[in-house]
Amino acid sequence: MEKGKKIYEGKAKILYETDSPDYLIQYFKDDATAFNAAKKGTINQKGVVNNKISTKIFEFLETKGIPTHFEKMLNDRDMLVKKVTIFPLEVIIRNVAAGSLSKILNIPEGTKLACPVLEFCYKADSLNDPMINEYHIRALGLATEEELETVKKYTFQINELMKKFFAAIGVDLIDFKIEFGKFKGKIILADEISPDTCRLWEKETGRKLDKDRFRRDLGGIEEAYQEILSRVTK
Ligand code: TMP
Ligand code: ASP
């Protein structure tokens, strides 16, 4: 596949056209941002590592029947993906309290939640991606009732699958954010799944192996991402 015109540049990735109208190339950058880009930096080799980790997770989810935009990894930083119309929604699942949930509800980080918590945020940088609920989504026409049902069904399935996937490599899946799009009328998982978009804590020690090391200046960020990569590719 030939890399064509750049059609979108986000904080961590760039999308390029290909010679097919149905496919795009998703390029993974080393750039890292936090707090709606108030904090900026780079994480050495992050693009390469996240491309590889995302590839592994998408391949795993596909084998379990979850449709994704993933086609194949083209090289270290390029992933061939289906061209979806993305829903402007961040879909978050939490298994353990951390981050913004801990802050908003004053629940200590690490508190296990009695059941997974599903949240939606509206993808709108100018508004700081505010949390919204299903009524907002329907009222604003961001997705239909039927689409929402499918998104929720896949999200809970993905959570169960990923919890097991990470548990098998000694990692607790604390929470994560995913995005969905539509391709030829079908809803499929899009974007990426990586230590940028998940909280991943080493089971034995509770050590953070994700982007919180960057957000909170904990150090050892490259090593943490490499650790996840080496475990998922073992
Ligand atoms: P939060 O606790 O900051 O709301 O984050 C919840 C999860 O979502 C965490 O795994 C990080 C991920 N996330 C993103 O991938 N992108 C974002 O813009 C935000 C705010 C969170
Ligand atoms: N991706 C988000 C941003 O730049 C934040 C995050 O992951 O914490 O701001």
Side-chain angles (χ1 to χ4, degrees), residues 11 35-36 90-94 98-102 109 119 121 129 174-179 191 195-200 211-212 215-216:
K11 293 176 205 141
F35 316 118
N36 203 28
E90 297 195 334
V91 187
I92 293 167
I93 283 269
R94 301 175 188 276
S100 65
L101 181 78
S102 288
E109 285 212 320
E119 293 172 2
C121 291
D129 297 347
I174 305 305
D175 58 29
F176 61 92
K177 182 272 299 180
I178 49 179
E179 299 183 21
D191 195 54
D196 271 15
T197 63
C198 302
R199 282 197 176 91
L200 303 168
K211 194 175 161 190
D212 271 348
R215 295 188 189 100
R216 302 176 186 188

Side-chain angles (χ1 to χ4, degrees), residues 57 60-61 157-167 173 176 178 193 198:
I57 297 175
F60 164 73
L61 292 174
Q157 286 175 355
I158 291 165
N159 184 43
E160 291 310 312
L161 291 166
M162 292 219 303
K163 268 199 295 194
K164 290 200 190 98
F165 176 89
F166 282 109
L173 177 63
F176 61 92
I178 49 179
I193 300 182
C198 302

Side-chain angles (χ1 to χ4, degrees), residues 1-221:
M1 278 288 171
E2 281 298 303
K3 203 184 239 179
K5 210 172 76 199
K6 185 202 279 194
I7 59 164
Y8 176 80
E9 178 155 7
K11 293 176 205 141
K13 297 184 295 298
I14 304 175
L15 292 174
Y16 296 92
E17 284 180 341
T18 66
D19 38 31
S20 161
D22 287 338
Y23 297 96
L24 296 175
I25 289 171
Q26 174 166 268
Y27 173 91
F28 287 76
K29 302 194 282 186
D30 286 350
D31 298 351
T33 63
F35 316 118
N36 203 28
K39 177 172 182 156
K40 290 195 177 90
T42 54
I43 300 172
N44 196 24
Q45 292 294 103
K46 174 171 82 83
V48 177
V49 172
N50 281 359
N51 188 20
K52 291 179 180 171
I53 294 171
S54 267
T55 290
K56 278 285 167 194
I57 297 175
F58 283 139
E59 283 174 347
F60 164 73
L61 292 174
E62 286 276 355
T63 68
K64 299 294 182 185
I66 305 292
T68 80
H69 74 157
F70 176 79
E71 282 293 315
K72 66 173 173 181
M73 200 177 98
L74 296 173
N75 56 50
D76 269 5
R77 288 177 186 272
D78 289 320
M79 180 188 283
L80 185 67
V81 298
K82 297 183 187 80
K83 182 178 184 177
V84 301
T85 307
I86 202 92
F87 290 98
L89 296 173
E90 297 195 334
V91 187
I92 293 167
I93 283 269
R94 301 175 188 276
N95 297 307
V96 174
S100 65
L101 181 78
S102 288
K103 207 168 192 176
I104 293 168
L105 298 181
N106 194 25
I107 307 172
E109 285 212 320
T111 308
K112 185 158 173 24
L113 299 163
C115 63
V117 172
L118 176 93
E119 293 172 2
F120 294 103
C121 291
Y122 179 30
K123 266 167 71 81
D125 282 339
S126 61
L127 304 175
N128 252 328
D129 297 347
M131 199 200 290
I132 55 175
N133 67 32
E134 295 182 35
Y135 291 88
H136 297 105
I137 293 172
R138 288 190 293 266
L140 299 178
L142 305 180
T144 66
E145 181 77 48
E146 200 192 346
E147 288 167 342
L148 259 179
E149 288 309 312
T150 305
V151 162
K152 286 190 290 179
K153 180 190 77 178
Y154 283 148
T155 300
F156 285 115
Q157 286 175 355
I158 291 165
N159 184 43
E160 291 310 312
L161 291 166
M162 292 219 303
K163 268 199 295 194
K164 290 200 190 98
F165 176 89
F166 282 109
I169 55 171
V171 171
D172 280 326
L173 177 63
I174 305 305
D175 58 29
F176 61 92
K177 182 272 299 180
I178 49 179
E179 299 183 21
F180 291 89
K182 264 185 130 170
F183 181 73
K184 297 184 193 282
K186 289 225 163 65
I187 293 178
I188 64 176
L189 179 64
D191 195 54
E192 68 175 286
I193 300 182
S194 72
D196 271 15
T197 63
C198 302
R199 282 197 176 91
L200 303 168
W201 295 358
E202 186 172 46
K203 253 185 202 304
E204 294 261 300
T205 63
R207 181 164 64 115
K208 292 177 172 46
L209 298 173
D210 57 60
K211 194 175 161 190
D212 271 348
R213 304 206 76 84
F214 168 78
R215 295 188 189 100
R216 302 176 186 188
D217 296 320
L218 301 176
I221 179 86

